[in-house]
Amino acid sequence: IKEHLFRKMNKVLILINVITIQEIYYIIKVMAKKKLQDIKITLLSISETLYRFNYDYDYSILDSNDLRIDFAHNFKSNDEACMFEIEIKAKYKCKENVLTELGVLTSFIIDPYSEFIVGKNEEGFSTNIPEILEKICSISLGILRGVFFSKLKGTPLEKYPIPLIPIDAIIPQIKKE
């Protein structure tokens, strides 16, 4: 199957040991659009944009079944600097009480940037390589998780770290072609 599909595309045969049908489809689609090339991602900076802790809440009545974590995110792209930024915020809530919240902004340099961001409009941007977006979102979420873990040390919430969550559960707009 691999040989037939790659010959049909008139491209060089790539040897792949373990591959799924979805991966074959993606590789063929990318090869049909343009030559495959390496994309370099560099984490440029990490900054805390928000931190609040509710010291007035009575944590002795905290029921872990009522605890929930809400997420929000924002993407910013700077074409001139070839920079892409992700701000992810998390908010711990118990019923309607906000217990703590944290926001982290991560900035990435992507080279070549034109291979990553291929279009922009009022609603946002488009990319040919959603896997890169998924990867940098996962990195940003991991950073948020680590900063929150550090901030909550010694508080009544230290035993409730942000769990490992698939990135598409938090940022569902990341769609693979």
Side-chain angles (χ1 to χ4, degrees):
I1 292 175
K2 279 190 293 190
E3 274 186 35
H4 174 70
L5 290 173
F6 282 98
R7 275 195 205 133
K8 191 172 181 181
M9 295 301 299
N10 293 323
K11 301 291 178 182
V12 176
L13 178 61
I14 298 174
L15 297 175
I16 301 169
N17 293 336
V18 179
I19 191 161
T20 67
I21 297 299
Q22 286 178 325
E23 289 171 325
I24 291 173
Y25 175 72
Y26 178 75
I27 290 169
I28 292 169
K29 202 165 184 185
V30 168
M31 289 175 74
K33 288 181 184 179
K34 64 188 114 215
K35 294 182 273 182
L36 293 176
Q37 73 175 218
D38 292 333
I39 306 282
K40 182 180 176 187
I41 302 168
T42 306
L43 177 59
L44 184 64
S45 67
I46 301 167
S47 56
E48 184 179 303
T49 59
L50 167 73
Y51 179 69
R52 291 187 200 134
F53 189 88
N54 184 348
Y55 292 99
D56 297 327
Y57 184 78
D58 182 4
Y59 289 93
S60 66
I61 62 168
L62 180 66
D63 181 359
S64 62
N65 294 322
D66 293 331
L67 188 63
R68 92 174 206 238
I69 305 172
D70 294 337
F71 294 92
H73 69 279
N74 187 31
F75 298 129
K76 298 176 195 166
S77 65
N78 180 336
D79 296 346
E80 294 80 36
C82 299
M83 185 168 59
F84 192 80
E85 295 179 319
I86 301 171
E87 182 178 27
I88 296 183
K89 295 178 182 178
K91 185 184 295 187
Y92 280 60
K93 293 175 85 174
C94 185
K95 298 184 181 173
E96 292 307 311
N97 296 299
V98 175
L99 305 179
T100 186
E101 54 188 326
L102 173 72
V104 173
L105 178 71
T106 50
S107 301
F108 298 89
I109 298 291
I110 300 172
D111 183 34
Y113 194 76
S114 60
E115 294 294 315
F116 174 59
I117 300 292
V118 294
K120 287 175 128 181
N121 58 33
E122 305 81 44
E123 296 174 12
F125 64 93
S126 59
T127 179
N128 279 336
I129 314 171
E131 290 83 1
I132 290 178
L133 183 59
E134 187 175 318
K135 183 56 132 178
I136 61 178
C137 286
S138 294
I139 291 168
S140 298
L141 179 60
I143 290 168
L144 175 82
R145 185 182 293 115
V147 172
F148 234 149
F149 180 80
S150 175
K151 294 269 187 194
L152 295 179
K153 206 84 158 136
T155 73
L157 295 174
E158 78 176 329
K159 57 186 170 191
Y160 305 107
I162 296 175
L164 293 175
I165 303 168
I167 195 66
D168 58 349
I170 298 170
I171 305 173
Q173 300 97 304
I174 300 175
K175 295 181 179 93
K176 294 186 180 176
E177 296 183 55

